[in-house]
């Protein structure tokens, strides 16, 4: 099973990042402290082929404030903050258009790796 192995300055429980919170109760949703470069890294436990990652914006009016300019990358070794060696799976270059917004990477080409970063 995948685990969140590296979370930059968590403010709420990181276990809710995976197969997370679908009731959209804001206090159950995960987010980091304010930062210029927040990130999270997931360890898939073994090398896998990754084609899609689904990300959900938090509920509430501030979804667009926090869910913006995201990159999803896949790599074969752990990294902390510098994901230049990872291959890009998806990029969401704008703000969430509404609360509870869902972004799916839906990559044209799958990437083989063990670690997935979102930053």
């Amino acid at each position: 099973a995948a685990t969140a192995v590296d979370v930059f300055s968590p403010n709420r429980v990181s276990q809710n990042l995976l197969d997370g919170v679908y009731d959209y109760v804001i206090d159950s949703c995960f987010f980091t402290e304010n930062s210029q470069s927040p990130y999270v890294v997931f360890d898939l436990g073994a090398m896998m082929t990754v084609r899609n990652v689904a990300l959900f914006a938090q509920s509430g009016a501030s979804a667009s404030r926090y869910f913006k300019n995201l990159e999803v990358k896949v790599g074969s070794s752990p990294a902390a903050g510098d994901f230049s060696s990872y291959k890009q799976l998806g990029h969401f270059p704008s703000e969430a258009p509404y609360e509870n917004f869902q972004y799916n990477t839906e990559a044209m080409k799958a990437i083989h790796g063990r670690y997935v970063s979102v930053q």
Side-chain angles (χ1 to χ4, degrees):
T3 57
V5 293
D6 189 6
V7 180
F8 177 87
S9 190
N11 194 16
R12 293 203 182 116
V13 63
S14 60
Q15 288 82 354
N16 289 347
L17 284 166
L18 289 164
D19 299 331
V21 178
Y22 297 101
D23 60 7
Y24 297 103
V25 174
I26 193 66
D27 288 336
S28 298
C29 295
F30 173 84
F31 70 89
T32 65
E33 295 289 342
N34 288 335
S35 168
Q36 294 293 341
S37 303
Y39 65 86
V40 60
V41 178
F42 301 99
D43 182 351
L44 301 177
M47 294 293 283
M48 297 188 171
T49 301
V50 181
R51 180 179 301 276
N52 184 49
V53 172
L55 303 173
F56 296 85
Q58 67 183 28
S59 60
S62 46
S64 63
R65 191 170 126 204
Y66 295 108
F67 192 99
K68 60 183 178 182
N69 304 323
L70 298 173
E71 283 188 314
V72 180
K73 294 185 171 187
V74 178
S76 56
S77 59
D82 177 10
F83 304 103
S84 58
S85 66
Y86 284 25
K87 294 180 181 175
Q88 185 170 306
L89 182 71
H91 180 236
F92 183 74
S94 57
E95 296 178 344
Y98 49 87
E99 64 182 75
N100 302 332
F101 172 74
Q102 178 180 345
Y103 167 67
N104 290 292
T105 58
E106 297 181 11
M108 296 298 286
K109 183 178 179 185
I111 300 173
H112 198 66
R114 178 174 172 166
Y115 298 91
V116 176
S117 69
V118 179
Q119 65 276 342

